[in-house]
Amino acid sequence: MQTRIGSHVWSLTIVVTLSLFPPHRAIADGRCEVRRDGDRATISWPCAAGESGRLTLDLRQNERMLFERIEIVDDPTGKASLLAEKVIPATYLVVGSRENPPPTPPEMSVFNVFFDNPAKRPFETYSSMIQSKTFRILSQGERASVALGPVSFARRGSSGGWNRYFGELVVTVYAGSRLIQVETVFTMTEDRRAFTYDAGLAGESLVGKSVAWMDTEGKFRRQTLTLDGRDTPEAVRHRTIVLEGDAGSIACFPPPHQYFFPRDWTDNLKTVWHGKDHRAYPGDIHGVRASSVGFGIRQPETGGGNYVPWFNAPPGAEQRLSVFYLLSKGKAEEALGEVLKFTHGDRFPELPGYKTLTSHWHMAFTVAAMKQKASGVTPLPVPDLVRVFKGLGVDAVHVAEFHGDGHPDDPGPVRLAELAAMFEECRRLSDDKLLMIPGEEANLYLGPRKPGRNPGHWLEMFPRPVYWTMKRAPNQPFVEVDPKLGNVYHVGGTEDMFELLKRENGLAWTAHGRF
């Protein structure tokens, strides 16, 4: 599709690429191996040229520090660099109810809803504990997986009864990769449940080590872990927090395409943590003494607007609460650099002959610019969104303005002025590196025509500025000619909407299925 904004004509092709792991790097005779010797088990794997990872598990039932040693071994010399010891893989589960609030149809499954917010209803927080430490080898070779358990969850602050939500801990390593993947796997037995989870490593052995992260301005920050340090969330770039010691680093980050459920607003909600007593209650919790320190990833229950739906947990469905740890012999900066290789540096790579398009952005920049103009601001500033999208490697942004602001229901004068302002702002903010494409998310006419049913959420895109109203008065013509604006369309129903799209060569598609 070709789109013209001002003097810019762009041909847009949408290319979708899904990738978590980089191409496998063959290592001669490299295999992931698991060996058990009494109450110890060792997972070894080739993680880079000349280096191997080694994870030693303590399987004694009365020993609570499951990960006894996390090391990188220099293959030629056999010398091991100890990155961490005597730590437990911590999982914190937050469980609430799933409901189907209006205006969603009552017959629709509660597990197909977006407009929900379990945090506004009672919910409970649980901690995991590995009980008897059974041990199973699931696979060896190009990857090695072991399962330990059973894992059970108890409500935080309870005096005992580790008997709710049973599962197991699955640890996986990959040949040619520095990653350790840790998953707490369980099945929800109750109906109408939603959840979030935190994860990380905890243990008193971490005292004296540092955690590091990149802040939202791109600067590295460091904090020493102490027994006096409180549980602290941090707003970071790249979703990652790094444990740093003399021998190397361990970067902790979530599955980038799975961990972040949709929220109403895309705010940075401080999704990593460090310090003592994470989600703590007094007493012996999570199988770790309450004085233990740790670090990891977190999902705040609130924040991000009115709708914060959490994760679905249908009864009988397996849930895999995953976290990754990347091993490095370097400092935190080097470890984060390795993490970013999995997502191309959190930037869309350039594909010769193609442009990268992103859509469905409610940024309300048009009304903001109109208010600035009205107050005499000149010249108008360039909003941060331009810098952000360029930094992400995005070539074209299809916006969805007037979704909660503006006057989309106005029959003419106010709305047409707002459309003109949107077209002008898109021209002003576009250049040879970034194209801003006007658009809206219209919530009428193309949905089911049934009482009590939502009329549909959909997006539109036109190859040129098109002026139209979402109302048509009785006997009002479908199209009128304005001496300044040209054709102005008045849409009063489904047939009018389809006719407008056909006449102006527009596109329309479902904005999202969960409403």
Side-chain angles (χ1 to χ4, degrees):
M1 177 180 180
Q2 284 194 333
T3 300
R4 176 183 294 275
I5 301 294
S7 60
H8 306 291
V9 178
W10 291 49
S11 179
L12 302 177
T13 302
I14 300 173
V15 179
V16 179
T17 303
L18 298 177
S19 175
L20 178 59
F21 298 106
H24 173 67
R25 299 172 302 187
I27 297 178
D29 300 324
R31 284 177 53 84
C32 304
E33 296 181 344
V34 182
R35 295 183 180 181
R36 181 169 184 175
D37 183 11
D39 55 13
R40 298 289 191 278
T42 302
I43 307 173
S44 301
W45 73 102
C47 62
E51 294 181 354
S52 296
R54 188 164 65 197
L55 173 62
T56 303
L57 306 175
D58 189 336
L59 304 179
R60 291 176 293 175
Q61 293 193 25
N62 63 345
E63 179 57 59
R64 291 174 173 174
M65 300 300 161
L66 180 63
F67 287 1
E68 185 173 65
R69 297 176 69 87
I70 303 174
E71 302 168 294
I72 294 179
V73 180
D74 181 71
D75 291 338
T77 65
K79 181 181 179 181
S81 298
L82 179 62
L83 306 183
E85 63 179 335
K86 295 183 179 180
V87 293
I88 191 168
T91 304
Y92 309 87
L93 181 66
V94 180
V95 179
S97 61
R98 167 66 78 229
E99 293 186 3
N100 195 5
T104 51
E107 69 273 15
M108 189 176 77
S109 168
V110 295
F111 298 114
N112 194 39
V113 68
F114 168 75
F115 298 113
D116 194 15
N117 195 333
K120 292 184 176 181
R121 302 183 292 272
F123 60 87
E124 295 180 332
T125 302
Y126 299 83
S127 296
S128 66
M129 180 177 180
I130 299 175
Q131 290 180 302
S132 60
K133 296 187 181 176
T134 58
F135 180 80
R136 294 183 296 127
I137 299 175
L138 304 179
S139 66
Q140 297 188 80
E142 290 194 356
R143 69 174 64 186
S145 292
V146 300
L148 306 102
V151 172
S152 61
F153 290 89
R155 189 173 64 221
R156 299 302 294 271
S158 62
S159 59
W162 299 85
N163 57 2
R164 196 170 191 182
Y165 306 136
F166 290 94
E168 61 183 358
L169 193 78
V170 176
V171 180
T172 304
V173 299
Y174 305 87
S177 170
R178 299 179 179 275
L179 292 179
I180 300 173
Q181 184 178 14
V182 179
E183 299 171 287
T184 301
V185 183
F186 81 102
T187 299
M188 181 64 68
T189 56
E190 302 158 341
D191 197 9
R192 302 175 74 95
R193 291 291 182 265
F195 74 95
T196 70
Y197 73 94
D198 302 353
L201 298 177
E204 290 183 18
S205 62
L206 299 180
V207 172
K209 292 182 179 292
S210 295
V211 286
W213 62 92
M214 182 181 287
D215 68 17
T216 56
E217 300 303 316
K219 297 180 180 179
F220 258 88
R221 305 291 183 181
R222 284 175 167 82
Q223 178 70 48
T224 301
L225 294 174
T226 70
L227 289 176
D228 298 326
R230 60 185 178 86
D231 180 25
T232 305
E234 301 288 355
V236 304
R237 280 191 182 180
H238 311 306
R239 308 163 299 281
T240 303
I241 187 168
V242 185
L243 178 73
E244 190 177 64
D246 295 337
S249 304
I250 301 176
C252 174
F253 63 98
H257 304 300
Q258 296 176 341
Y259 191 58
F260 297 98
F261 53 80
R263 297 177 188 248
D264 219 14
W265 297 95
T266 51
D267 299 324
N268 188 321
L269 296 175
K270 300 183 178 182
T271 56
V272 304
W273 63 272
H274 62 84
K276 187 181 72 172
D277 302 345
H278 182 59
R279 290 190 179 271
Y281 285 81
D284 190 356
I285 56 173
H286 190 267
V288 188
R289 286 190 301 168
S291 60
S292 289
V293 300
F295 70 102
I297 59 173
R298 64 184 292 268
Q299 278 280 29
E301 304 92 86
T302 60
N306 292 324
Y307 304 113
V308 185
W310 298 8
F311 295 114
N312 279 329
E318 183 180 79
Q319 307 295 335
R320 307 185 75 91
L321 315 187
S322 181
V323 60
F324 287 98
Y325 300 99
L326 182 139
L327 313 186
S328 171
K329 290 199 294 186
K331 292 293 186 181
E333 290 86 346
E334 182 178 329
L336 180 59
E338 289 290 323
V339 170
L340 291 177
K341 290 180 180 179
F342 294 109
T343 56
H344 303 287
D346 281 1
R347 179 183 171 88
F348 294 100
E350 183 178 350
L351 299 178
Y354 295 91
K355 297 295 183 183
T356 299
L357 166 70
T358 183
S359 180
H360 198 161
W361 289 93
H362 305 303
M363 295 180 288
F365 62 91
T366 299
V367 171
M370 294 177 73
K371 290 179 179 178
Q372 289 171 331
K373 273 189 175 181
S375 62
V377 175
T378 183
L380 290 178
V382 176
D384 284 344
L385 64 93
V386 173
R387 173 183 56 83
V388 170
F389 283 120
K390 288 182 176 180
L392 291 172
V394 171
D395 301 308
V397 180
H398 176 230
V399 305
E401 289 289 88
F402 315 128
H403 196 72
D405 67 332
H407 302 82
D409 293 332
D410 180 78
V414 176
R415 170 167 170 77
L416 296 179
E418 290 176 347
L419 287 174
M422 175 177 64
F423 300 145
E424 177 56 34
E425 273 300 281
C426 286
R427 291 188 189 97
R428 184 177 75 91
L429 302 179
S430 296
D431 57 24
D432 60 345
K433 299 296 183 182
L434 182 70
L435 178 67
M436 300 293 293
I437 303 174
E440 297 176 86
E441 181 180 358
N443 302 341
L444 72 175
Y445 300 140
L446 298 188
R449 303 180 185 179
K450 295 182 180 179
R453 295 296 297 270
N454 193 291
H457 287 211
W458 51 275
L459 294 162
E460 46 88 345
M461 178 192 293
F462 293 101
R464 65 186 66 83
V466 173
Y467 291 90
W468 64 290
T469 68
M470 299 183 184
K471 289 186 175 180
R472 183 180 179 185
N475 301 318
Q476 186 177 25
F478 173 60
V479 58
E480 296 179 313
V481 179
D482 183 277
K484 293 183 178 180
L485 305 179
N487 286 348
V488 175
Y489 296 91
H490 303 290
V491 175
T494 303
E495 293 75 13
D496 287 351
M497 194 67 244
F498 276 119
E499 182 62 24
L500 170 58
L501 291 168
K502 286 190 292 184
R503 288 197 188 189
E504 294 291 346
N505 295 313
L507 294 176
W509 61 92
T510 300
H512 48 78
R514 296 175 67 188
F515 67 84

